[in-house]
PDB file of all heavy atoms in Angstrom:
ATOM      1  N   LEU A  57      -1.340  33.418  12.783  1.00 96.00           N
ATOM      2  CA  LEU A  57      -2.747  33.802  12.484  1.00 96.00           C
ATOM      3  C   LEU A  57      -3.637  32.867  13.373  1.00 96.00           C
ATOM      4  O   LEU A  57      -4.313  33.291  14.310  1.00 96.00           O
ATOM      5  CB  LEU A  57      -2.998  33.736  10.972  1.00 96.00           C
ATOM      6  CG  LEU A  57      -4.428  34.247  10.623  1.00 96.00           C
ATOM      7  CD1 LEU A  57      -4.672  35.760  11.047  1.00 96.00           C
ATOM      8  CD2 LEU A  57      -4.685  34.049   9.098  1.00 96.00           C
ATOM      9  N   ARG A  58      -3.762  31.687  12.959  1.00 96.00           N
ATOM     10  CA  ARG A  58      -4.465  30.599  13.709  1.00 96.00           C
ATOM     11  C   ARG A  58      -3.835  29.281  13.362  1.00 96.00           C
ATOM     12  O   ARG A  58      -3.204  29.078  12.311  1.00 96.00           O
ATOM     13  CB  ARG A  58      -5.938  30.415  13.306  1.00 96.00           C
ATOM     14  CG  ARG A  58      -6.810  31.744  13.554  1.00 96.00           C
ATOM     15  CD  ARG A  58      -8.227  31.532  13.000  1.00 96.00           C
ATOM     16  NE  ARG A  58      -8.316  31.123  11.612  1.00 96.00           N
ATOM     17  CZ  ARG A  58      -8.288  31.940  10.605  1.00 96.00           C
ATOM     18  NH1 ARG A  58      -8.202  33.286  10.791  1.00 96.00           N
ATOM     19  NH2 ARG A  58      -8.225  31.535   9.368  1.00 96.00           N
ATOM     20  N   ARG A  65      -3.953  27.015   3.394  1.00 96.00           N
ATOM     21  CA  ARG A  65      -4.008  27.930   2.064  1.00 96.00           C
ATOM     22  C   ARG A  65      -2.807  27.579   1.255  1.00 96.00           C
ATOM     23  O   ARG A  65      -2.642  28.325   0.240  1.00 96.00           O
ATOM     24  CB  ARG A  65      -4.220  29.314   2.398  1.00 96.00           C
ATOM     25  CG  ARG A  65      -5.585  29.877   2.675  1.00 96.00           C
ATOM     26  CD  ARG A  65      -5.931  29.640   4.175  1.00 96.00           C
ATOM     27  NE  ARG A  65      -7.237  30.061   4.511  1.00 96.00           N
ATOM     28  CZ  ARG A  65      -7.829  29.712   5.670  1.00 96.00           C
ATOM     29  NH1 ARG A  65      -7.234  29.020   6.487  1.00 96.00           N
ATOM     30  NH2 ARG A  65      -9.074  30.054   5.909  1.00 96.00           N
ATOM     31  N   GLU A  94      -9.085  23.922   9.018  1.00 97.00           N
ATOM     32  CA  GLU A  94      -8.962  25.286   8.480  1.00 97.00           C
ATOM     33  C   GLU A  94      -9.177  25.225   6.979  1.00 97.00           C
ATOM     34  O   GLU A  94      -9.646  26.227   6.351  1.00 97.00           O
ATOM     35  CB  GLU A  94      -7.597  25.896   8.728  1.00 97.00           C
ATOM     36  CG  GLU A  94      -7.511  26.489  10.137  1.00 97.00           C
ATOM     37  CD  GLU A  94      -8.079  27.909  10.088  1.00 97.00           C
ATOM     38  OE1 GLU A  94      -8.413  28.462   9.074  1.00 97.00           O
ATOM     39  OE2 GLU A  94      -8.317  28.512  11.255  1.00 97.00           O
ATOM     40  N   ALA A 101     -14.033  23.863  14.356  1.00 97.00           N
ATOM     41  CA  ALA A 101     -12.783  24.658  14.663  1.00 97.00           C
ATOM     42  C   ALA A 101     -11.993  24.058  15.961  1.00 97.00           C
ATOM     43  O   ALA A 101     -12.673  23.457  16.769  1.00 97.00           O
ATOM     44  CB  ALA A 101     -13.065  26.146  14.802  1.00 97.00           C
ATOM     45  N   MET A 103      -9.700  25.286  19.038  1.00 95.00           N
ATOM     46  CA  MET A 103      -9.449  26.399  19.722  1.00 95.00           C
ATOM     47  C   MET A 103      -8.378  26.158  20.900  1.00 95.00           C
ATOM     48  O   MET A 103      -8.071  25.007  21.195  1.00 95.00           O
ATOM     49  CB  MET A 103     -10.701  27.089  20.261  1.00 95.00           C
ATOM     50  CG  MET A 103     -11.756  27.329  19.190  1.00 95.00           C
ATOM     51  SD  MET A 103     -13.162  28.103  19.808  1.00 95.00           S
ATOM     52  CE  MET A 103     -12.457  29.590  20.456  1.00 95.00           C
ATOM     53  N   ALA A 106      -8.881  24.732  26.987  1.00 93.00           N
ATOM     54  CA  ALA A 106      -9.580  25.533  27.986  1.00 93.00           C
ATOM     55  C   ALA A 106      -8.729  25.833  29.228  1.00 93.00           C
ATOM     56  O   ALA A 106      -8.838  26.822  29.844  1.00 93.00           O
ATOM     57  CB  ALA A 106     -10.761  24.740  28.478  1.00 93.00           C
ATOM     58  N   LEU A 108      -5.628  26.739  29.019  1.00 92.00           N
ATOM     59  CA  LEU A 108      -4.613  27.649  28.429  1.00 92.00           C
ATOM     60  C   LEU A 108      -3.241  27.007  28.482  1.00 92.00           C
ATOM     61  O   LEU A 108      -2.273  27.707  28.230  1.00 92.00           O
ATOM     62  CB  LEU A 108      -4.636  28.937  29.199  1.00 92.00           C
ATOM     63  CG  LEU A 108      -5.853  29.794  28.998  1.00 92.00           C
ATOM     64  CD1 LEU A 108      -5.746  31.061  29.801  1.00 92.00           C
ATOM     65  CD2 LEU A 108      -6.011  30.191  27.524  1.00 92.00           C
ATOM     66  N   PHE A 148     -14.510  22.831  18.637  1.00 96.00           N
ATOM     67  CA  PHE A 148     -15.773  23.542  18.786  1.00 96.00           C
ATOM     68  C   PHE A 148     -16.539  23.514  17.467  1.00 96.00           C
ATOM     69  O   PHE A 148     -15.892  23.573  16.372  1.00 96.00           O
ATOM     70  CB  PHE A 148     -15.453  25.030  19.113  1.00 96.00           C
ATOM     71  CG  PHE A 148     -16.700  25.855  19.123  1.00 96.00           C
ATOM     72  CD1 PHE A 148     -17.545  26.029  20.220  1.00 96.00           C
ATOM     73  CD2 PHE A 148     -17.162  26.603  17.970  1.00 96.00           C
ATOM     74  CE1 PHE A 148     -18.669  26.783  20.224  1.00 96.00           C
ATOM     75  CE2 PHE A 148     -18.279  27.360  17.928  1.00 96.00           C
ATOM     76  CZ  PHE A 148     -19.095  27.427  19.045  1.00 96.00           C
TER      77      PHE A 148
ATOM     78  N   VAL B  14     -18.921  31.573  21.789  1.00 90.00           N
ATOM     79  CA  VAL B  14     -17.615  30.775  21.709  1.00 90.00           C
ATOM     80  C   VAL B  14     -16.742  31.058  22.956  1.00 90.00           C
ATOM     81  O   VAL B  14     -16.516  32.173  23.245  1.00 90.00           O
ATOM     82  CB  VAL B  14     -16.931  31.212  20.457  1.00 90.00           C
ATOM     83  CG1 VAL B  14     -15.634  30.498  20.290  1.00 90.00           C
ATOM     84  CG2 VAL B  14     -17.786  30.852  19.177  1.00 90.00           C
ATOM     85  N   LEU B  15     -16.377  29.976  23.612  1.00 85.00           N
ATOM     86  CA  LEU B  15     -15.543  30.046  24.809  1.00 85.00           C
ATOM     87  C   LEU B  15     -14.233  30.908  24.397  1.00 85.00           C
ATOM     88  O   LEU B  15     -13.618  30.448  23.438  1.00 85.00           O
ATOM     89  CB  LEU B  15     -15.230  28.623  25.259  1.00 85.00           C
ATOM     90  CG  LEU B  15     -14.322  28.605  26.592  1.00 85.00           C
ATOM     91  CD1 LEU B  15     -15.038  29.072  27.746  1.00 85.00           C
ATOM     92  CD2 LEU B  15     -13.860  27.190  26.714  1.00 85.00           C
ATOM     93  N   ALA B  21      -8.742  34.577  31.019  1.00 91.00           N
ATOM     94  CA  ALA B  21      -7.391  34.691  31.779  1.00 91.00           C
ATOM     95  C   ALA B  21      -7.102  36.217  31.968  1.00 91.00           C
ATOM     96  O   ALA B  21      -6.624  36.645  33.059  1.00 91.00           O
ATOM     97  CB  ALA B  21      -6.337  33.990  31.134  1.00 91.00           C
ATOM     98  N   LYS B  41      -8.444  40.205  17.341  1.00 97.00           N
ATOM     99  CA  LYS B  41      -7.240  40.614  16.537  1.00 97.00           C
ATOM    100  C   LYS B  41      -7.570  41.775  15.620  1.00 97.00           C
ATOM    101  O   LYS B  41      -8.596  42.016  15.191  1.00 97.00           O
ATOM    102  CB  LYS B  41      -6.833  39.410  15.604  1.00 97.00           C
ATOM    103  CG  LYS B  41      -6.473  38.163  16.142  1.00 97.00           C
ATOM    104  CD  LYS B  41      -5.938  37.176  15.030  1.00 97.00           C
ATOM    105  CE  LYS B  41      -5.644  35.839  15.695  1.00 97.00           C
ATOM    106  NZ  LYS B  41      -6.771  34.861  15.520  1.00 97.00           N
ATOM    107  N   PHE B  43      -5.990  43.908  12.186  1.00 98.00           N
ATOM    108  CA  PHE B  43      -5.050  43.881  11.049  1.00 98.00           C
ATOM    109  C   PHE B  43      -5.123  45.309  10.385  1.00 98.00           C
ATOM    110  O   PHE B  43      -6.216  45.648   9.954  1.00 98.00           O
ATOM    111  CB  PHE B  43      -5.451  42.800   9.995  1.00 98.00           C
ATOM    112  CG  PHE B  43      -5.527  41.446  10.590  1.00 98.00           C
ATOM    113  CD1 PHE B  43      -6.759  41.043  11.104  1.00 98.00           C
ATOM    114  CD2 PHE B  43      -4.477  40.606  10.462  1.00 98.00           C
ATOM    115  CE1 PHE B  43      -6.865  39.710  11.613  1.00 98.00           C
ATOM    116  CE2 PHE B  43      -4.533  39.274  10.973  1.00 98.00           C
ATOM    117  CZ  PHE B  43      -5.779  38.840  11.540  1.00 98.00           C
ATOM    118  N   LYS B  65     -11.578  34.425   3.306  1.00 95.00           N
ATOM    119  CA  LYS B  65     -10.700  33.361   2.861  1.00 95.00           C
ATOM    120  C   LYS B  65      -9.550  33.143   3.811  1.00 95.00           C
ATOM    121  O   LYS B  65      -8.935  32.077   3.802  1.00 95.00           O
ATOM    122  CB  LYS B  65     -10.148  33.829   1.511  1.00 95.00           C
ATOM    123  CG  LYS B  65     -11.140  33.671   0.414  1.00 95.00           C
ATOM    124  CD  LYS B  65     -10.461  33.835  -0.975  1.00 95.00           C
ATOM    125  CE  LYS B  65     -11.480  33.563  -2.053  1.00 95.00           C
ATOM    126  NZ  LYS B  65     -10.970  33.861  -3.381  1.00 95.00           N
ATOM    127  N   LEU B  66      -9.139  34.098   4.646  1.00 96.00           N
ATOM    128  CA  LEU B  66      -8.039  33.971   5.444  1.00 96.00           C
ATOM    129  C   LEU B  66      -8.006  34.596   6.791  1.00 96.00           C
ATOM    130  O   LEU B  66      -7.758  33.884   7.821  1.00 96.00           O
ATOM    131  CB  LEU B  66      -6.704  34.416   4.644  1.00 96.00           C
ATOM    132  CG  LEU B  66      -5.429  34.301   5.474  1.00 96.00           C
ATOM    133  CD1 LEU B  66      -5.035  32.800   5.712  1.00 96.00           C
ATOM    134  CD2 LEU B  66      -4.267  35.060   4.701  1.00 96.00           C
ATOM    135  N   LEU B  67      -8.355  35.936   6.859  1.00 98.00           N
ATOM    136  CA  LEU B  67      -8.093  36.604   8.161  1.00 98.00           C
ATOM    137  C   LEU B  67      -9.021  36.145   9.289  1.00 98.00           C
ATOM    138  O   LEU B  67      -8.633  36.227  10.403  1.00 98.00           O
ATOM    139  CB  LEU B  67      -8.253  38.069   7.889  1.00 98.00           C
ATOM    140  CG  LEU B  67      -7.364  38.735   6.867  1.00 98.00           C
ATOM    141  CD1 LEU B  67      -7.691  40.249   6.678  1.00 98.00           C
ATOM    142  CD2 LEU B  67      -5.842  38.526   7.206  1.00 98.00           C
ATOM    143  N   ALA B  68     -10.168  35.685   8.952  1.00 97.00           N
ATOM    144  CA  ALA B  68     -11.042  35.262  10.015  1.00 97.00           C
ATOM    145  C   ALA B  68     -11.494  33.817   9.772  1.00 97.00           C
ATOM    146  O   ALA B  68     -11.502  33.385   8.634  1.00 97.00           O
ATOM    147  CB  ALA B  68     -12.408  36.128  10.069  1.00 97.00           C
ATOM    148  N   ASN B  69     -11.684  33.049  10.795  1.00 96.00           N
ATOM    149  CA  ASN B  69     -12.297  31.791  10.718  1.00 96.00           C
ATOM    150  C   ASN B  69     -13.756  31.867  11.027  1.00 96.00           C
ATOM    151  O   ASN B  69     -14.160  32.067  12.234  1.00 96.00           O
ATOM    152  CB  ASN B  69     -11.659  30.750  11.666  1.00 96.00           C
ATOM    153  CG  ASN B  69     -12.176  29.381  11.582  1.00 96.00           C
ATOM    154  OD1 ASN B  69     -13.270  29.225  11.111  1.00 96.00           O
ATOM    155  ND2 ASN B  69     -11.541  28.378  12.103  1.00 96.00           N
TER     156      ASN B  69
END
Side-chain angles (χ1 to χ4, degrees):
Chain A
L57 188 60
R58 299 175 304 274
R65 278 87 181 164
E94 277 283 346
M103 306 185 58
L108 295 176
F148 176 85
Chain B
V14 174
L15 178 73
K41 297 188 184 97
F43 304 87
K65 287 189 174 173
L66 179 64
L67 299 178
N69 178 344

